[in-house]
Amino acid sequence: MSGPLRCLRLLPLLLRGSSVLGPPGLSPWGPCLHCAPKGLPPLQARHLATKKAKGKGQARVSINAALVEDIISLEEVGEDMRTVLRALQDDFSKTLNIRTSPGALDHIMVSTKDGKFPLNQLGQVSLKSPQLILVNMSNFPESTAAAVKAIRESGMGLNPEADGTLLRVPVPKVTREHRESLAAVAKQLTNKAKDSLRKVRAAAVSRTKKAKATVSEDTVRLIEKQVQQMTDDAVAEMEKLLAAKTKELLG
């Protein structure tokens, strides 16, 4: 796509003020790199908007995503980070509940010779009493042992007992020890999510560094700072989720 046409394509987005983490900062050369006069650097860090956070001694970066889309898609990086956050929220809601229901086991993945499948696709899960869950594996009897292993290793503190193709899953009483065990699992899930977040950050930084041959080092450093800031914000959100879940579990 030619430079002028590309500028026209980006203009509506810029006019709407689209940015990843704040108000857009427009270059004095226009909405894209192709608008720069010949002989001038294609993109300098000083032309990307920054905003100082109130009450803090450091500036928060606020880059217009459209200005750096040839280097990296900050929108995609942000979405990848939000996906990690949503996965952590799902883990919290599905695996860390004080009240027990048949659906509490649905998310457990069972490894079979044909691949991994949710437990509720292999067996019929029912609640016989508040202290006992039954899993009928008669439709896939060959996966009974794998189901037992998956439930036992789910991190929910469950110890299923196999009676032929019928699994009996005693539900622990809601003791202080059980609550503390669930809170420990919440911490483990959060740390795992942080690891996933670091991988997203590392991939984004790697893509940015590949552009050093075409953009200034200041621009690369500014984008890296934006990515780190997004990572820090996501970690802070994870800590809030963990604190709320821990409070819920421990009462």
Side-chain angles (χ1 to χ4, degrees), residues 59-73:
R60 281 184 63 86
V61 180
S62 181
I63 300 177
N64 190 318
L67 290 176
V68 296
E69 66 176 4
D70 286 340
I71 303 172
I72 189 173
S73 173

Side-chain angles (χ1 to χ4, degrees), residues 127-169:
L127 186 66
K128 184 174 182 180
S129 72
Q131 283 73 45
L132 183 63
I133 295 176
L134 299 180
V135 183
N136 189 336
M137 297 293 297
S138 58
N139 289 334
F140 296 92
E142 68 280 4
S143 299
T144 300
V148 170
K149 183 174 184 292
I151 296 171
R152 187 170 290 146
E153 297 177 355
S154 66
M156 298 176 67
L158 301 176
N159 188 26
E161 302 170 354
D163 182 8
T165 58
L166 181 65
L167 307 185
R168 301 179 186 276
V169 187

Side-chain angles (χ1 to χ4, degrees), residues 28 32 40 94 98 115 153-154 164 188 192 212:
C32 78
L40 291 179
K94 291 177 180 178
I98 296 298
E153 297 177 355
S154 66
Q188 292 171 6
K192 182 178 178 181
K212 283 187 175 180

Side-chain angles (χ1 to χ4, degrees), residues 5 30 41 50 91 126 139 162 174 179 183 186 191 193 200 221 231:
L5 289 179
T50 60
D91 284 341
S126 60
N139 289 334
V174 185
R179 289 175 180 270
N191 289 337
V200 174
R221 282 195 293 268
T231 304

